[in-house]
């Protein structure tokens, strides 16, 4: 099974990595949004009621936030999920 990608890919191995349509990736975008509010990873984790390690992994690109986490981030930062994912500027 090869998951759907935002951009066309020639084979499945290329489709397993997310390619943003803007210059910023989701790890960079999440870090930028957090820092723009002057929050540490721990402070953001407490605000969203999630673990600090989850935020660290997102910011390092080790894992991707799931749908429910994206909604939490979107509401907290008052940004669209597309913006957080790097699909729009």
């Amino acid at each position: 099974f090869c998951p759907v990608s935002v951009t066309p890919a020639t084979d499945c191995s290329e489709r397993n990595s997310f390619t943003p349509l803007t210059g910023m990736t989701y790890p960079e975008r999440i870090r930028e949004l957090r820092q723009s509010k002057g929050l540490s990873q721990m402070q953001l984790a407490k605000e969203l009621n999630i673990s600090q390690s989850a935020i660290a992994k997102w910011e390092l690109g080790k894992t991707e936030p799931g749908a429910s986490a994206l909604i939490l981030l979107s509401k907290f930062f008052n940004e669209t999920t597309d913006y957080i994912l790097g699909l729009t500027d």
Side-chain angles (χ1 to χ4, degrees), residues 1-86:
F1 172 75
C2 190
V4 176
S5 178
V6 173
T7 57
T10 56
D11 67 33
C12 193
S13 64
E14 291 178 19
R15 297 179 93 177
N16 289 333
S17 62
F18 176 76
T19 305
L21 298 178
T22 66
M24 195 172 280
T25 62
Y26 76 88
E28 295 167 326
R29 186 64 49 88
I30 292 170
R31 183 178 307 111
E32 174 202 49
L33 288 167
R34 176 180 59 77
Q35 291 175 340
S36 73
K37 293 237 183 215
L39 298 172
S40 67
Q41 289 179 350
M42 183 59 76
Q43 290 168 319
L44 179 59
K46 286 181 181 179
E47 289 288 331
L48 300 179
N49 197 29
I50 58 174
S51 70
Q52 179 272 330
S53 65
I55 293 170
K57 288 176 184 177
W58 299 339
E59 291 186 1
L60 292 171
K62 290 186 176 187
T63 61
E64 297 175 350
S68 60
L70 276 172
I71 292 167
L72 286 173
L73 290 165
S74 176
K75 288 180 177 181
F76 182 79
F77 291 116
N78 197 31
E79 296 288 354
T80 66
T81 55
D82 282 355
Y83 180 80
I84 293 168
L85 291 172

